[in-house]
Amino acid sequence: IMDQLVPHDPVDHPVEMIKFQGDNQKEELVVSVDDILFIKSEGNYITIGYLKNGKFAQALLRNTMKYAIETLAAYSFHYQ
């Protein structure tokens, strides 16, 4: 996937951070909205693919795709 990614220029808006939490409230991921590449549902879990310091990273959280969609609802540039 990294071979296919095109480095993106800094955006002209302030960096907005978003927090995803696991159902148990012990797990969380705070990431820039612009760095989210995908979110995939795996049963009772979601895998979030994102860029961390320009490199691909993933996080597995116990939560639903519905939660992820609701969390990203304010950001129209993300789509399902």
Side-chain angles (χ1 to χ4, degrees):
I1 192 169
M2 290 305 294
D3 294 336
Q4 299 299 316
L5 291 175
V6 176
H8 60 282
D9 295 325
V11 291
D12 59 352
H13 58 82
V15 174
E16 290 189 54
M17 302 301 281
I18 191 165
K19 180 167 66 169
F20 294 94
Q21 286 195 285
D23 274 344
N24 61 10
Q25 304 296 316
K26 293 180 184 176
E27 315 166 301
E28 73 175 27
L29 172 68
V30 179
V31 64
S32 166
V33 174
D34 295 325
D35 288 341
I36 297 172
L37 302 173
F38 67 86
I39 300 176
K40 177 173 70 169
S41 176
E42 299 181 31
N44 291 331
Y45 293 85
I46 54 174
T47 298
I48 302 170
Y50 62 101
L51 295 176
K52 181 177 183 178
N53 300 323
K55 297 190 182 219
F56 177 72
Q58 293 186 94
L60 181 67
L61 299 174
R62 183 176 176 86
N63 218 317
T64 63
M65 183 59 83
K66 180 179 178 183
Y67 164 80
I69 291 168
E70 290 170 355
T71 303
L72 287 171
Y75 306 99
S76 61
F77 51 89
H78 287 283
Y79 60 92
Q80 182 178 2

